Amino acid sequence: MTALPPPGPRGDTPLTRRALGRGAMGLGVLGAAPARASEGATILAPGPEDGDCARWAVRAGQALARGMQRPGTIRLALLGGPDGVTAANRFATLDGAGGPSLLALPGWACHARLTGSPRARFEPRAWVPLLLSWRGAVLAGRGPLPGRGGAPLRVAMPSAEVPEAAALAALDLLGLPALPLVGMPEASFAAGGADALIILGPEPLTRAQAMGATPWYGFPGLAETERAELAPFPLAAPLARAVVAAVAALQIRAALVAPVLSPADSLAAWRMAAPRWQEEERATAGDDQPLVGTSAAEAFALLTPPPDAVLDYRNWLDRRLGWRAG
């Protein structure tokens, strides 16, 4: 993938302390043309400056500034760590006093909320996704999908509270015996220590085959041609919807969101500019699929399953992996 440019020099118009507090790392001016506050915005993004989400936010802000019908200034403010929880919490408290604001939100932040982390004190349903970077996903393993009476499948995950645990929950839902082990999924699979995992990529079926894995089930977001080749993961149980939400946290590299109650003219201007970002992202031939409009909204909605699914997932983490938030 083409490397993203680092954030630009720190600007001379900081956000108010009331809005960002002392944790703000600074502002980078992304759009050079001056404009009224209502025609631009400040993007709040997780740090560090050279982190993946910060670089993604710079790229998105630059594309939005170029896509605005009237010149607009897009600024960047960095706050918190790469999981995005601190930035999301602060974004949820902004009152608009510093002008229109957007949030660069990694999918991981919403997974922290799914697990019940006391750190996650935001509500994603209060935000409108303008654009996001998306990857396909499949549940895959070594050889054909085994029967229920076979040997337990080994599933690697760094820890219980990460989205990769969804692979184990998926096997439980399918009625297949499975054992969790500590490790990175792809590395463990390549070394022969794991038997099943979630595989991500622009063409996850091709990537699975290149890894020597057999795709078993697909998750939302697969291309139409791939959907015809692979059965979708069954969604009958509430826990299954939570599994899809956990996988979506891996699929969404980052989303740019606005408050539902944003000024109507600002929201309209950002939506009209979003296709410019999509065109530029497609031109880079990157690994992620750029989504805007209805497609972005549908993908973002996967991160927020219904309450019964959330409760089932938290109970599953406690019962299966002995992990409970806070």
Side-chain angles (χ1 to χ4, degrees):
M1 178 185 295
T2 303
L4 300 183
R10 295 185 179 182
D12 56 4
T13 311
L15 293 180
T16 62
R17 179 171 297 179
R18 180 181 182 188
L20 285 185
R22 297 179 181 178
M25 296 178 61
L27 292 173
V29 177
L30 304 180
R36 297 193 310 249
S38 63
E39 294 175 334
T42 295
I43 297 178
L44 182 60
E49 277 189 270
D50 60 350
D52 180 69
C53 198
R55 292 184 291 118
W56 182 92
V58 169
R59 190 180 187 122
Q62 290 172 336
L64 279 184
R66 287 189 286 266
M68 306 255 308
Q69 289 190 343
R70 294 182 294 182
T73 301
I74 309 292
R75 297 181 176 88
L76 180 71
L78 302 179
L79 180 67
D83 68 3
V85 173
T86 299
N89 286 338
R90 188 59 56 86
F91 186 73
T93 68
L94 296 182
D95 57 10
S101 297
L102 303 171
L103 172 68
L105 179 73
W108 267 65
C110 290
H111 185 264
R113 187 176 177 277
L114 174 67
T115 63
S117 170
R119 291 182 57 231
R121 302 185 301 275
F122 56 89
E123 174 49 74
R125 291 182 179 88
W127 301 333
V128 178
L130 301 173
L131 51 90
L132 59 83
S133 291
W134 177 264
R135 293 171 284 189
V138 296
L139 175 66
R142 211 175 296 280
L145 184 69
R148 298 193 176 194
L153 298 170
R154 298 164 298 173
V155 180
M157 64 191 76
S159 59
E161 70 274 20
V162 298
E164 288 86 349
L168 181 65
L171 295 176
D172 284 354
L173 281 165
L174 294 170
L176 300 175
L179 293 174
L181 58 91
V182 177
M184 301 304 293
E186 290 193 9
S188 297
F189 185 85
D195 305 306
L197 74 167
I198 303 293
I199 295 178
L200 304 165
E203 297 181 358
L205 294 184
T206 301
R207 188 155 185 266
Q209 291 163 0
M211 294 172 57
T214 301
W216 293 340
Y217 284 97
F219 290 96
L222 286 174
E224 291 298 330
T225 54
E226 293 179 319
R227 288 177 186 171
E229 299 177 33
L230 195 62
F233 185 72
L235 294 175
L239 179 59
R241 297 189 179 278
V243 167
V244 168
V247 175
L250 295 169
Q251 292 177 281
I252 295 178
R253 175 186 176 190
L256 192 67
V257 302
V260 170
L261 299 180
S262 297
D265 58 343
S266 295
L267 199 57
W270 297 329
R271 282 173 166 163
M272 291 182 66
R276 174 64 179 264
W277 168 84
Q278 187 179 47
E279 292 171 5
E280 293 184 8
E281 288 294 291
R282 284 174 174 167
T284 66
D287 292 337
D288 302 323
Q289 182 181 2
L291 302 181
V292 300
T294 301
S295 296
E298 291 175 351
F300 190 76
L302 296 174
L303 293 170
T304 54
D308 58 342
V310 174
L311 181 61
D312 278 6
Y313 192 71
R314 294 175 184 177
N315 288 339
W316 176 84
L317 285 171
D318 185 18
R319 181 182 69 256
R320 189 69 157 89
L321 298 175
W323 187 88
R324 182 180 299 178

